[in-house]
Amino acid sequence: INDGATLRYDGDEAYYPKSLSRQSVVIVPFGVAPFQVGITTRDVAQGEELFVSYGYSYWANYLQSDALQEKSESIQKQESEALQAITQAMLTVKKNYEEASIALSELFGGLGSERENDSNRRRGKKRQWLGRIFSKASRWLSR
């Protein structure tokens, strides 16, 4: 998933308006780390490219720019608005998929203790665990 804009080609003040106008997905935490999910922020046509907003700071760091130290008030305001949108998406995911998130956490909670066992046993447990995840995911998606 790509960003719909960059600082290099779109410039400081144009980055957020362009990036957020093209954004169709927000990436949010789901269950236990490192799981994340992408949720669409609008209807997406089949075959349409998906875009997220990496954020101004990502591009300033990537370009090794001094702009990171010198964010204008406008950029700071735009960052705050983008953060609010991500926070809202996180709350939506938590509300709509809380059961799935808890189940995922419970599955991973038991997986850690398997590390002390031999590798064959771990592989077998992981297969069982993955089977349970796919089974639960199928049920959640068919709702």
Side-chain angles (χ1 to χ4, degrees):
I1 300 176
N2 293 312
D3 196 330
T6 69
L7 287 184
R8 176 179 286 156
Y9 300 111
D10 299 303
D12 288 2
E13 295 296 325
Y15 168 73
Y16 272 114
K18 183 173 180 183
S19 180
L20 294 176
S21 72
R22 297 185 75 192
Q23 181 177 16
S24 55
V25 174
V26 175
I27 307 293
V28 297
F30 186 76
V32 294
F35 281 111
Q36 296 182 340
V37 295
I39 61 167
T40 57
T41 57
R42 59 177 174 78
D43 290 338
V44 177
Q46 185 175 351
E48 179 181 349
E49 184 172 3
L50 301 175
F51 290 105
V52 298
S53 181
Y54 293 175
Y56 183 90
S57 296
Y58 168 85
W59 288 111
N61 279 324
Y62 177 77
L63 298 171
Q64 299 177 348
S65 167
D66 292 333
L68 204 51
Q69 313 318 325
E70 307 163 7
K71 290 181 195 172
S72 70
E73 237 178 84
S74 171
I75 297 295
Q76 291 176 29
K77 182 179 181 211
Q78 290 174 52
E79 274 189 326
S80 176
E81 291 169 356
L83 181 59
Q84 288 174 358
I86 291 171
T87 301
Q88 184 57 49
M90 288 172 68
L91 292 172
T92 299
V93 166
K94 182 177 180 179
K95 178 183 170 194
N96 294 340
Y97 300 99
E98 185 172 19
E99 182 183 320
S101 181
I102 290 170
L104 210 67
S105 295
E106 288 171 357
L107 286 171
F108 271 98
L111 191 62
S113 62
E114 295 301 324
R115 291 187 183 137
E116 289 91 37
N117 299 324
D118 66 48
S119 65
N120 287 337
R121 184 161 180 242
R122 279 196 311 257
R123 264 186 249 133
K125 288 288 185 183
K126 285 181 182 178
R127 278 192 215 107
Q128 289 174 359
W129 173 80
L130 286 171
R132 286 188 303 220
I133 284 187
F134 288 124
S135 174
K136 286 184 183 232
S138 295
R139 285 195 302 268
W140 293 322
L141 293 173
S142 65
R143 290 182 182 176

